[in-house]
Amino acid sequence: MTSREAIGASAVEDGGTISRQQWRWSVLAGMASYLDAGSIVALGAGLALFQSYLGLSDGAVGALAAIGPNAIGCAIGAFIGGRLGDKLGRKRIYKYDLLVYAAGILCIALAVNAPMLFIGTFVVGVAVGADVPTSLALVGEFSPSKARGKLLGFTQVAWNVGPVIVLLLSLALTPLDLLGTRIVFLHLFVVALVTWALRRGLSESARWTSASSTREVKYQLKALFRGAHLKALLFTAIVYVFWNIAAGTGGIFTPYVIKTLNAGSQAASVALSCAGFVIGILVTTLVFMKFADRSHSTRKWMWGIGAVMQIVAYGIYVVLPFNIPVIIANIVLFGVGCSLAGEAFYKVWSQELFPTMLRGTAQGFTFGVARTMLGVWSFFLPTLASGGFTLAGGLLTLFLVISGAVGFFFMPNTSGKSLEQIEAERATA
């Protein structure tokens, strides 16, 4: 089987059948999401321990979160990697960036001072930022048109599996304190090297190969900020930026906030975070992957229900005390809601709404903006939440209202259509 036959070059079949090769490549590409989320949550689970060991202030903790895989470091990588993925090809990016990731993770695992911790965190952020938009573009470009949501949803399952493994390891290794955290990071180091070795057999995206040799290569960066491309950019950016602030807060700060506000122990905080990601795995697998490609109306119902659940999840922090029962309610509601109206749909729309030679650039841009905004938020959150979570909960609720409303009322009708059909329709709209 040639790479063109395996990936589906100029026109992916309209059916929803997924080959074993496509599943395998989805797993390898989806490992970018595993390593991204895994590094975010590993840092979050060990944040309080590193703070105590190195004597970091609340401001330093915020700065560390702001420059890493959850925020600005990732943003820089996404801006650069997404654009280079369009100009040079998907393969050139994912062929090397995991080696950079592994080096950064090792630096964190062995950190004995603040500079090592900060440098490692920043390097990891840049590496995952470069990997995610190019890997997702690859998945979108080889997916059957009626199974694109399923395969991109699978990368979201990988995004949830990473934190579950990390948090279970953290929970099991809790008696070892900081040594346990170091072992968790070493696990990510090993996974990154194994994934890098397996990815060496991946082929270049046939869609990108075809587009780069034809008229599409003429697409310039400024084309992204005009007409239908600008509308798509604003849509995906608004949906993802405001949603990601809430999701990122839960991902990296839940254990930290629970412990520092004395709502529960370190073990309890890690276990609660883990539960949210398990819920995400189940709902994404059983609901999103099954129904995301069914129809436009199905997508709207999924998004609407999920958006309301997430708004309620953080809204309860405004009216109820920050304690374990309320935290459990937040985790359950947000875990289900974000699986229906969150990053999985953002990934799908980011592949569907842009032409091949701007696909990585567009997602790198919106992904980068989202992580930058999260970085700004992360810098202030430890101080903002030091006296309670009411104000932070209210702001997060507002952000989710914005994301949910824009996603629902401006959702594009792209379900089940080939990328070429979507592009043709948007060109004449």
Side-chain angles (χ1 to χ4, degrees):
M1 179 182 291
T2 66
S3 63
R4 182 172 294 271
E5 291 169 339
I7 301 175
S10 59
V12 176
E13 59 179 308
D14 287 335
T17 302
I18 304 172
S19 69
R20 291 180 63 184
Q21 186 76 295
Q22 288 169 324
W23 274 117
R24 177 176 177 272
W25 287 345
S26 293
V27 170
L28 292 178
M31 288 307 294
S33 294
Y34 177 102
L35 294 169
D36 174 26
S39 60
I40 291 170
V41 175
L43 188 62
L47 205 53
L49 296 174
F50 272 118
Q51 181 180 25
S52 176
Y53 171 66
L54 298 175
L56 302 176
S57 65
D58 285 346
V61 169
L64 185 66
I67 66 168
N70 208 31
I72 294 172
C74 184
I76 293 172
F79 287 136
I80 297 172
R83 185 58 180 159
L84 291 180
D86 284 342
K87 293 176 71 67
L88 304 178
R90 318 307 186 204
K91 187 173 183 178
R92 292 192 186 184
I93 303 301
Y94 64 64
K95 188 176 180 180
Y96 299 110
D97 58 6
L98 287 186
L99 294 178
V100 179
Y101 175 94
I105 284 289
L106 189 61
C107 190
I108 297 174
L110 302 178
V112 294
N113 53 48
M116 286 185 69
L117 181 61
F118 274 76
I119 291 171
T121 300
F122 179 72
V123 169
V124 167
V126 171
V128 295
D131 197 302
V132 169
T134 51
S135 295
L136 293 178
L138 181 69
V139 176
E141 287 164 6
F142 68 57
S143 297
S145 56
K146 293 185 179 179
R148 191 164 47 243
K150 177 179 286 189
L151 288 180
L152 287 163
F154 178 78
T155 69
Q156 195 64 19
V157 172
W159 196 94
N160 283 285
V161 169
V164 169
I165 299 299
V166 164
L167 288 168
L168 287 176
L169 280 174
S170 298
L171 192 60
L173 297 170
T174 295
L176 299 180
D177 292 325
L178 187 60
L179 176 59
T181 296
R182 296 186 190 278
I183 294 172
V184 170
F185 279 103
L186 288 173
H187 135 265
L188 291 172
F189 172 76
V190 173
V191 172
L193 290 183
V194 172
T195 303
W196 167 78
L198 294 174
R199 277 187 177 186
R200 298 181 70 183
L202 281 170
S203 300
E204 179 58 86
S205 163
R207 264 197 170 101
W208 180 87
T209 301
S210 175
S212 64
S213 62
T214 61
R215 65 176 180 82
E216 282 206 53
V217 76
K218 297 179 181 178
Y219 274 121
Q220 298 179 354
L221 184 60
K222 62 183 180 181
L224 194 58
F225 300 94
R226 295 198 301 251
H229 299 333
L230 176 59
K231 293 178 182 178
L233 195 68
L234 290 173
F235 171 75
T236 53
I238 292 172
V239 164
Y240 189 58
V241 165
F242 287 101
W243 175 87
N244 188 61
I245 293 175
T249 299
I252 195 169
F253 280 112
T254 292
Y256 176 80
V257 172
I258 290 174
K259 186 175 180 181
T260 54
L261 292 182
N262 298 314
S265 65
Q266 172 75 6
S269 68
V270 171
L272 287 169
S273 291
C274 186
F277 292 110
V278 171
I279 292 170
I281 292 171
L282 294 175
V283 178
T284 303
T285 303
L286 300 177
V287 182
F288 185 90
M289 290 178 63
K290 184 176 181 179
F291 296 105
D293 297 299
R294 179 162 293 187
S295 68
H296 178 61
S297 61
T298 301
R299 287 186 174 186
K300 293 206 76 168
W301 272 106
M302 291 169 63
W303 183 271
I305 293 170
V308 170
M309 293 183 73
Q310 292 176 93
I311 291 166
V312 174
Y314 276 97
I316 59 177
Y317 283 142
V318 178
V319 296
L320 297 176
F322 191 81
N323 55 33
I324 292 299
V326 176
I327 294 168
I328 291 173
N330 166 269
I331 287 172
V332 172
L333 287 167
F334 193 80
V336 176
C338 73
S339 301
L340 302 177
E343 189 167 67
F345 265 130
Y346 160 75
K347 290 178 176 180
V348 173
W349 292 327
S350 293
Q351 313 319 312
E352 292 178 339
L353 298 179
F354 302 97
T356 299
M357 297 305 293
L358 288 176
R359 186 167 292 123
T361 304
Q363 184 158 354
F365 179 83
T366 55
F367 198 79
V369 169
R371 293 298 173 97
T372 300
M373 296 303 295
L374 181 57
V376 174
W377 170 262
S378 298
F379 185 80
F380 292 104
L381 184 62
T383 302
L384 187 65
S386 61
F389 207 72
T390 301
L391 178 57
L395 290 172
L396 292 170
T397 302
L398 175 61
F399 297 157
L400 289 167
V401 168
I402 295 171
S403 174
V406 171
F408 185 82
F409 291 109
F410 297 94
M411 182 181 295
N413 184 2
T414 51
S415 177
K417 300 177 181 179
S418 71
L419 297 179
E420 290 75 22
Q421 180 183 353
I422 295 169
E423 184 177 351
E425 290 176 354
R426 292 182 63 77
T428 58

